[in-house]
mmCIF file of all heavy atoms in Angstrom:
data_model
loop_
_atom_site.group_PDB
_atom_site.id
_atom_site.type_symbol
_atom_site.label_atom_id
_atom_site.label_comp_id
_atom_site.label_asym_id
_atom_site.label_seq_id
_atom_site.Cartn_x
_atom_site.Cartn_y
_atom_site.Cartn_z
ATOM 1 N N SER A 271 0.814 -1.195 0.001
ATOM 2 C CA SER A 271 0.049 -0.010 -0.033
ATOM 3 C C SER A 271 0.782 1.252 -0.004
ATOM 4 O O SER A 271 0.264 2.399 -0.023
ATOM 5 C CB SER A 271 -0.989 0.029 1.183
ATOM 6 O OG SER A 271 -0.219 -0.100 2.404
ATOM 7 N N LEU A 272 2.138 1.178 -0.024
ATOM 8 C CA LEU A 272 3.056 2.273 -0.004
ATOM 9 C C LEU A 272 3.989 2.110 -1.270
ATOM 10 O O LEU A 272 4.314 0.989 -1.693
ATOM 11 C CB LEU A 272 3.928 2.321 1.164
ATOM 12 C CG LEU A 272 3.176 2.557 2.466
ATOM 13 C CD1 LEU A 272 4.177 2.654 3.676
ATOM 14 C CD2 LEU A 272 2.343 3.876 2.496
ATOM 15 N N ILE A 273 4.435 3.204 -1.736
ATOM 16 C CA ILE A 273 5.501 3.143 -2.807
ATOM 17 C C ILE A 273 6.474 4.201 -2.546
ATOM 18 O O ILE A 273 6.159 5.312 -2.147
ATOM 19 C CB ILE A 273 4.735 3.517 -4.196
ATOM 20 C CG1 ILE A 273 5.824 3.378 -5.368
ATOM 21 C CG2 ILE A 273 4.195 4.913 -4.249
ATOM 22 C CD1 ILE A 273 5.169 3.417 -6.684
ATOM 23 N N ARG A 274 7.827 3.777 -2.695
ATOM 24 C CA ARG A 274 8.836 4.670 -2.531
ATOM 25 C C ARG A 274 8.889 5.802 -3.607
ATOM 26 O O ARG A 274 9.039 5.582 -4.757
ATOM 27 C CB ARG A 274 10.209 3.886 -2.587
ATOM 28 C CG ARG A 274 11.462 4.541 -1.946
ATOM 29 C CD ARG A 274 12.719 3.749 -2.151
ATOM 30 N NE ARG A 274 13.819 4.160 -1.483
ATOM 31 C CZ ARG A 274 14.357 3.653 -0.473
ATOM 32 N NH1 ARG A 274 13.745 2.691 0.165
ATOM 33 N NH2 ARG A 274 15.421 4.207 0.080
ATOM 34 N N GLN A 275 8.803 7.017 -3.057
ATOM 35 C CA GLN A 275 8.586 8.184 -4.075
ATOM 36 C C GLN A 275 9.826 9.013 -4.193
ATOM 37 O O GLN A 275 10.139 9.305 -5.403
ATOM 38 C CB GLN A 275 7.445 9.022 -3.444
ATOM 39 C CG GLN A 275 7.110 10.227 -4.451
ATOM 40 C CD GLN A 275 5.910 10.974 -3.946
ATOM 41 O OE1 GLN A 275 4.811 10.526 -4.241
ATOM 42 N NE2 GLN A 275 6.012 12.013 -3.241
ATOM 43 N N ALA A 276 10.600 9.195 -3.149
ATOM 44 C CA ALA A 276 11.774 10.060 -3.266
ATOM 45 C C ALA A 276 12.621 9.970 -2.072
ATOM 46 O O ALA A 276 12.205 9.335 -1.015
ATOM 47 C CB ALA A 276 11.347 11.543 -3.513
ATOM 48 N N GLU A 277 13.952 10.324 -2.159
ATOM 49 C CA GLU A 277 14.731 10.289 -1.057
ATOM 50 C C GLU A 277 15.867 11.362 -1.162
ATOM 51 O O GLU A 277 16.130 11.826 -2.394
ATOM 52 C CB GLU A 277 15.370 8.879 -0.871
ATOM 53 C CG GLU A 277 16.222 8.404 -1.965
ATOM 54 C CD GLU A 277 16.847 7.167 -1.720
ATOM 55 O OE1 GLU A 277 17.793 6.977 -0.942
ATOM 56 O OE2 GLU A 277 16.267 6.204 -2.338
ATOM 57 N N ASN A 278 16.472 11.669 -0.131
ATOM 58 C CA ASN A 278 17.535 12.657 -0.180
ATOM 59 C C ASN A 278 18.697 12.189 0.853
ATOM 60 O O ASN A 278 18.613 10.928 1.172
ATOM 61 C CB ASN A 278 17.233 14.010 0.248
ATOM 62 C CG ASN A 278 16.471 14.111 1.594
ATOM 63 O OD1 ASN A 278 16.874 13.461 2.553
ATOM 64 N ND2 ASN A 278 15.410 15.004 1.647
ATOM 65 N N ALA A 279 19.642 12.847 1.227
ATOM 66 C CA ALA A 279 20.776 12.392 2.071
ATOM 67 C C ALA A 279 20.232 11.943 3.470
ATOM 68 O O ALA A 279 20.922 11.204 4.158
ATOM 69 C CB ALA A 279 21.822 13.470 2.128
ATOM 70 N N TRP A 280 19.048 12.453 3.844
ATOM 71 C CA TRP A 280 18.734 12.228 5.208
ATOM 72 C C TRP A 280 17.329 11.492 5.386
ATOM 73 O O TRP A 280 17.146 10.781 6.332
ATOM 74 C CB TRP A 280 18.464 13.572 5.981
ATOM 75 C CG TRP A 280 19.669 14.416 5.977
ATOM 76 C CD1 TRP A 280 20.780 14.385 6.770
ATOM 77 C CD2 TRP A 280 19.984 15.452 5.058
ATOM 78 N NE1 TRP A 280 21.679 15.301 6.451
ATOM 79 C CE2 TRP A 280 21.268 16.019 5.350
ATOM 80 C CE3 TRP A 280 19.251 15.947 3.921
ATOM 81 C CZ2 TRP A 280 21.816 17.012 4.587
ATOM 82 C CZ3 TRP A 280 19.936 17.044 3.223
ATOM 83 C CH2 TRP A 280 21.171 17.548 3.558
ATOM 84 N N GLU A 281 16.399 11.547 4.300
ATOM 85 C CA GLU A 281 15.209 11.035 4.504
ATOM 86 C C GLU A 281 14.736 10.194 3.249
ATOM 87 O O GLU A 281 15.291 10.353 2.179
ATOM 88 C CB GLU A 281 14.169 12.136 4.654
ATOM 89 C CG GLU A 281 14.258 13.110 5.766
ATOM 90 C CD GLU A 281 13.365 14.207 5.834
ATOM 91 O OE1 GLU A 281 12.957 14.792 4.717
ATOM 92 O OE2 GLU A 281 13.001 14.675 6.946
ATOM 93 N N VAL A 282 13.781 9.299 3.489
ATOM 94 C CA VAL A 282 13.113 8.606 2.407
ATOM 95 C C VAL A 282 11.555 8.926 2.530
ATOM 96 O O VAL A 282 10.993 8.697 3.657
ATOM 97 C CB VAL A 282 13.322 7.021 2.507
ATOM 98 C CG1 VAL A 282 12.772 6.331 1.445
ATOM 99 C CG2 VAL A 282 14.861 6.789 2.562
ATOM 100 N N ILE A 283 10.916 9.174 1.276
ATOM 101 C CA ILE A 283 9.549 9.419 1.328
ATOM 102 C C ILE A 283 8.738 8.345 0.587
ATOM 103 O O ILE A 283 9.079 7.917 -0.506
ATOM 104 C CB ILE A 283 9.271 10.803 0.504
ATOM 105 C CG1 ILE A 283 10.117 11.875 1.255
ATOM 106 C CG2 ILE A 283 7.791 11.229 0.631
ATOM 107 C CD1 ILE A 283 10.049 13.188 0.508
ATOM 108 N N PHE A 284 7.630 7.864 1.340
ATOM 109 C CA PHE A 284 6.822 6.801 0.780
ATOM 110 C C PHE A 284 5.375 7.542 0.624
ATOM 111 O O PHE A 284 4.974 8.278 1.476
ATOM 112 C CB PHE A 284 6.638 5.672 1.735
ATOM 113 C CG PHE A 284 7.938 4.732 1.670
ATOM 114 C CD1 PHE A 284 8.965 5.066 2.478
ATOM 115 C CD2 PHE A 284 7.997 3.661 0.994
ATOM 116 C CE1 PHE A 284 10.120 4.270 2.536
ATOM 117 C CE2 PHE A 284 8.988 2.918 0.886
ATOM 118 C CZ PHE A 284 10.153 3.193 1.757
ATOM 119 N N ARG A 285 4.792 7.185 -0.521
ATOM 120 C CA ARG A 285 3.386 7.686 -0.781
ATOM 121 C C ARG A 285 2.402 6.506 -0.696
ATOM 122 O O ARG A 285 2.796 5.376 -1.147
ATOM 123 C CB ARG A 285 3.408 8.257 -2.170
ATOM 124 C CG ARG A 285 1.967 8.839 -2.595
ATOM 125 C CD ARG A 285 2.064 9.605 -3.876
ATOM 126 N NE ARG A 285 2.737 8.751 -5.029
ATOM 127 C CZ ARG A 285 2.044 7.870 -5.640
ATOM 128 N NH1 ARG A 285 0.715 7.664 -5.483
ATOM 129 N NH2 ARG A 285 2.672 7.250 -6.642
ATOM 130 N N ILE A 286 1.267 6.853 -0.189
ATOM 131 C CA ILE A 286 0.094 5.869 -0.163
ATOM 132 C C ILE A 286 -0.425 5.572 -1.452
ATOM 133 O O ILE A 286 -0.702 6.430 -2.254
ATOM 134 C CB ILE A 286 -0.956 6.256 0.848
ATOM 135 C CG1 ILE A 286 -0.401 6.350 2.252
ATOM 136 C CG2 ILE A 286 -2.119 5.240 0.867
ATOM 137 C CD1 ILE A 286 -1.447 6.933 3.206
ATOM 138 N N VAL A 287 -0.555 4.263 -1.801
ATOM 139 C CA VAL A 287 -1.205 3.811 -3.090
ATOM 140 C C VAL A 287 -2.518 3.318 -2.885
ATOM 141 O O VAL A 287 -2.795 2.514 -1.968
ATOM 142 C CB VAL A 287 -0.232 2.673 -3.789
ATOM 143 C CG1 VAL A 287 -0.929 2.297 -5.005
ATOM 144 C CG2 VAL A 287 1.147 3.208 -3.952
ATOM 145 N N ASP A 288 -3.492 3.863 -3.684
ATOM 146 C CA ASP A 288 -4.897 3.322 -3.598
ATOM 147 C C ASP A 288 -4.892 1.880 -3.962
ATOM 148 O O ASP A 288 -4.204 1.539 -4.832
ATOM 149 C CB ASP A 288 -5.889 4.213 -4.432
ATOM 150 C CG ASP A 288 -6.096 5.619 -3.859
ATOM 151 O OD1 ASP A 288 -6.019 5.671 -2.583
ATOM 152 O OD2 ASP A 288 -6.439 6.490 -4.585
ATOM 153 N N SER A 289 -5.872 1.167 -3.258
ATOM 154 C CA SER A 289 -6.043 -0.265 -3.606
ATOM 155 C C SER A 289 -6.736 -0.414 -4.962
ATOM 156 O O SER A 289 -7.232 0.622 -5.477
ATOM 157 C CB SER A 289 -6.892 -0.865 -2.531
ATOM 158 O OG SER A 289 -8.189 -0.335 -2.468
ATOM 159 N N THR A 290 -6.690 -1.608 -5.501
ATOM 160 C CA THR A 290 -7.433 -1.877 -6.689
ATOM 161 C C THR A 290 -8.905 -1.552 -6.729
ATOM 162 O O THR A 290 -9.439 -0.948 -7.635
ATOM 163 C CB THR A 290 -7.252 -3.359 -7.138
ATOM 164 O OG1 THR A 290 -5.874 -3.743 -7.176
ATOM 165 C CG2 THR A 290 -7.861 -3.643 -8.422
ATOM 166 N N ASP A 291 -9.501 -1.887 -5.519
ATOM 167 C CA ASP A 291 -10.900 -1.591 -5.405
ATOM 168 C C ASP A 291 -11.136 -0.040 -5.479
ATOM 169 O O ASP A 291 -12.121 0.468 -5.971
ATOM 170 C CB ASP A 291 -11.374 -2.191 -4.084
ATOM 171 C CG ASP A 291 -11.545 -3.606 -4.191
ATOM 172 O OD1 ASP A 291 -11.505 -4.239 -5.253
ATOM 173 O OD2 ASP A 291 -11.516 -4.273 -2.963
ATOM 174 N N ILE A 292 -10.280 0.732 -4.789
ATOM 175 C CA ILE A 292 -10.426 2.161 -4.783
ATOM 176 C C ILE A 292 -10.269 2.779 -6.155
ATOM 177 O O ILE A 292 -11.049 3.639 -6.681
ATOM 178 C CB ILE A 292 -9.455 2.822 -3.800
ATOM 179 C CG1 ILE A 292 -9.886 2.494 -2.368
ATOM 180 C CG2 ILE A 292 -9.442 4.333 -4.006
ATOM 181 C CD1 ILE A 292 -8.941 3.019 -1.326
ATOM 182 N N GLU A 293 -9.298 2.148 -6.929
ATOM 183 C CA GLU A 293 -8.967 2.635 -8.263
ATOM 184 C C GLU A 293 -10.247 2.354 -9.140
ATOM 185 O O GLU A 293 -10.532 3.234 -10.030
ATOM 186 C CB GLU A 293 -7.807 1.787 -8.893
ATOM 187 C CG GLU A 293 -6.517 2.260 -8.292
ATOM 188 C CD GLU A 293 -6.100 3.789 -8.592
ATOM 189 O OE1 GLU A 293 -6.674 4.322 -9.590
ATOM 190 O OE2 GLU A 293 -5.321 4.418 -7.898
ATOM 191 N N LYS A 294 -10.901 1.301 -9.036
ATOM 192 C CA LYS A 294 -12.114 0.963 -9.702
ATOM 193 C C LYS A 294 -13.213 1.990 -9.445
ATOM 194 O O LYS A 294 -13.875 2.404 -10.313
ATOM 195 C CB LYS A 294 -12.601 -0.488 -9.495
ATOM 196 C CG LYS A 294 -11.744 -1.476 -10.133
ATOM 197 C CD LYS A 294 -12.237 -2.982 -9.738
ATOM 198 C CE LYS A 294 -11.306 -4.087 -10.366
ATOM 199 N NZ LYS A 294 -11.800 -5.362 -9.994
ATOM 200 N N LEU A 295 -13.424 2.361 -8.187
ATOM 201 C CA LEU A 295 -14.316 3.360 -7.761
ATOM 202 C C LEU A 295 -14.012 4.671 -8.347
ATOM 203 O O LEU A 295 -14.989 5.420 -8.778
ATOM 204 C CB LEU A 295 -14.420 3.470 -6.275
ATOM 205 C CG LEU A 295 -15.126 2.189 -5.573
ATOM 206 C CD1 LEU A 295 -14.962 2.281 -4.021
ATOM 207 C CD2 LEU A 295 -16.587 2.069 -5.911
ATOM 208 N N LYS A 296 -12.858 5.119 -8.426
ATOM 209 C CA LYS A 296 -12.378 6.332 -8.998
ATOM 210 C C LYS A 296 -12.715 6.330 -10.475
ATOM 211 O O LYS A 296 -13.099 7.397 -11.067
ATOM 212 C CB LYS A 296 -10.860 6.592 -8.768
ATOM 213 C CG LYS A 296 -10.526 6.910 -7.362
ATOM 214 C CD LYS A 296 -9.066 6.806 -7.078
ATOM 215 C CE LYS A 296 -8.237 7.821 -7.775
ATOM 216 N NZ LYS A 296 -6.810 7.741 -7.502
ATOM 217 N N GLU A 297 -12.524 5.247 -11.197
ATOM 218 C CA GLU A 297 -12.888 5.099 -12.603
ATOM 219 C C GLU A 297 -14.383 5.366 -12.753
ATOM 220 O O GLU A 297 -14.834 6.001 -13.636
ATOM 221 C CB GLU A 297 -12.368 3.870 -13.231
ATOM 222 C CG GLU A 297 -10.824 3.696 -13.250
ATOM 223 C CD GLU A 297 -10.459 2.311 -13.733
ATOM 224 O OE1 GLU A 297 -11.355 1.547 -14.040
ATOM 225 O OE2 GLU A 297 -9.310 1.983 -13.851
ATOM 226 N N LYS A 298 -15.164 4.737 -11.883
ATOM 227 C CA LYS A 298 -16.583 4.789 -11.983
ATOM 228 C C LYS A 298 -16.917 6.306 -11.705
ATOM 229 O O LYS A 298 -17.882 6.843 -12.335
ATOM 230 C CB LYS A 298 -17.179 3.984 -10.914
ATOM 231 C CG LYS A 298 -18.709 3.947 -10.884
ATOM 232 C CD LYS A 298 -19.246 2.970 -9.827
ATOM 233 C CE LYS A 298 -20.829 3.018 -9.943
ATOM 234 N NZ LYS A 298 -21.373 2.007 -8.954
ATOM 235 N N GLU A 299 -16.300 6.887 -10.768
ATOM 236 C CA GLU A 299 -16.660 8.346 -10.428
ATOM 237 C C GLU A 299 -16.271 9.200 -11.674
ATOM 238 O O GLU A 299 -17.106 10.158 -11.991
ATOM 239 C CB GLU A 299 -15.763 8.821 -9.313
ATOM 240 C CG GLU A 299 -16.019 10.308 -8.936
ATOM 241 C CD GLU A 299 -15.007 10.822 -7.906
ATOM 242 O OE1 GLU A 299 -13.934 10.177 -7.712
ATOM 243 O OE2 GLU A 299 -15.239 11.964 -7.352
ATOM 244 N N GLN A 300 -15.205 8.948 -12.381
ATOM 245 C CA GLN A 300 -14.849 9.745 -13.502
ATOM 246 C C GLN A 300 -15.922 9.537 -14.644
ATOM 247 O O GLN A 300 -16.307 10.571 -15.385
ATOM 248 C CB GLN A 300 -13.494 9.238 -14.086
ATOM 249 C CG GLN A 300 -12.967 9.995 -15.355
ATOM 250 C CD GLN A 300 -12.771 11.424 -15.120
ATOM 251 O OE1 GLN A 300 -12.395 11.820 -13.939
ATOM 252 N NE2 GLN A 300 -12.938 12.299 -16.004
ATOM 253 N N VAL A 301 -16.386 8.467 -14.833
ATOM 254 C CA VAL A 301 -17.475 8.155 -15.818
ATOM 255 C C VAL A 301 -18.725 9.009 -15.521
ATOM 256 O O VAL A 301 -19.386 9.697 -16.306
ATOM 257 C CB VAL A 301 -17.776 6.697 -15.985
ATOM 258 C CG1 VAL A 301 -19.009 6.501 -16.783
ATOM 259 C CG2 VAL A 301 -16.677 5.918 -16.598
ATOM 260 N N LEU A 302 -19.102 8.849 -14.117
ATOM 261 C CA LEU A 302 -20.283 9.674 -13.788
ATOM 262 C C LEU A 302 -20.117 11.173 -13.914
ATOM 263 O O LEU A 302 -21.018 11.863 -14.249
ATOM 264 C CB LEU A 302 -20.602 9.302 -12.295
ATOM 265 C CG LEU A 302 -21.177 7.868 -11.968
ATOM 266 C CD1 LEU A 302 -21.176 7.626 -10.446
ATOM 267 C CD2 LEU A 302 -22.548 7.727 -12.518
ATOM 268 N N MET A 303 -18.940 11.636 -13.669
ATOM 269 C CA MET A 303 -18.640 13.090 -13.713
ATOM 270 C C MET A 303 -18.702 13.482 -15.215
ATOM 271 O O MET A 303 -19.252 14.623 -15.529
ATOM 272 C CB MET A 303 -17.241 13.348 -13.259
ATOM 273 C CG MET A 303 -17.067 13.377 -11.674
ATOM 274 S SD MET A 303 -18.163 14.631 -10.932
ATOM 275 C CE MET A 303 -17.452 16.152 -11.640
ATOM 276 N N GLU A 304 -18.284 12.657 -16.156
ATOM 277 C CA GLU A 304 -18.396 13.004 -17.503
ATOM 278 C C GLU A 304 -19.793 13.062 -18.040
ATOM 279 O O GLU A 304 -20.163 13.934 -18.806
ATOM 280 C CB GLU A 304 -17.546 11.999 -18.452
ATOM 281 C CG GLU A 304 -16.092 12.148 -18.234
ATOM 282 C CD GLU A 304 -15.247 10.963 -18.895
ATOM 283 O OE1 GLU A 304 -15.888 10.070 -19.507
ATOM 284 O OE2 GLU A 304 -14.048 10.986 -18.829
ATOM 285 N N GLN A 305 -20.595 12.137 -17.495
ATOM 286 C CA GLN A 305 -22.013 12.135 -17.904
ATOM 287 C C GLN A 305 -22.741 13.342 -17.224
ATOM 288 O O GLN A 305 -23.567 14.023 -17.867
ATOM 289 C CB GLN A 305 -22.728 10.880 -17.276
ATOM 290 C CG GLN A 305 -22.200 9.502 -17.944
ATOM 291 C CD GLN A 305 -22.838 8.351 -17.325
ATOM 292 O OE1 GLN A 305 -23.478 8.441 -16.298
ATOM 293 N NE2 GLN A 305 -22.566 7.212 -17.854
ATOM 294 N N LEU A 306 -22.353 13.829 -16.022
ATOM 295 C CA LEU A 306 -22.842 14.987 -15.382
ATOM 296 C C LEU A 306 -22.470 16.168 -16.136
ATOM 297 O O LEU A 306 -23.400 17.035 -16.335
ATOM 298 C CB LEU A 306 -22.304 15.075 -13.872
ATOM 299 C CG LEU A 306 -22.867 16.247 -13.136
ATOM 300 C CD1 LEU A 306 -24.405 16.214 -12.971
ATOM 301 C CD2 LEU A 306 -22.229 16.243 -11.732
#
């Protein structure tokens, strides 16, 4: 659920990745928005 996004000399940054189920819901939302 995390992906390594960036790092520097002192820190490492991880970003949260949406699950497959959430990605499907986002696609559904996009279709509805286009219809709207």
Side-chain angles (χ1 to χ4, degrees):
S271 58
L272 297 179
I273 186 171
R274 196 182 185 104
Q275 180 170 279
E277 64 180 280
N278 54 41
W280 303 277
E281 299 173 329
V282 180
I283 302 171
F284 287 84
R285 178 174 55 83
I286 296 175
V287 179
D288 286 332
S289 66
T290 303
D291 291 338
I292 292 177
E293 289 294 340
K294 289 180 179 179
L295 287 172
K296 286 166 65 177
E297 291 175 2
K298 183 177 181 180
E299 179 190 17
Q300 181 62 31
V301 171
L302 290 171
M303 286 296 298
E304 291 173 357
Q305 293 175 353
L306 180 60

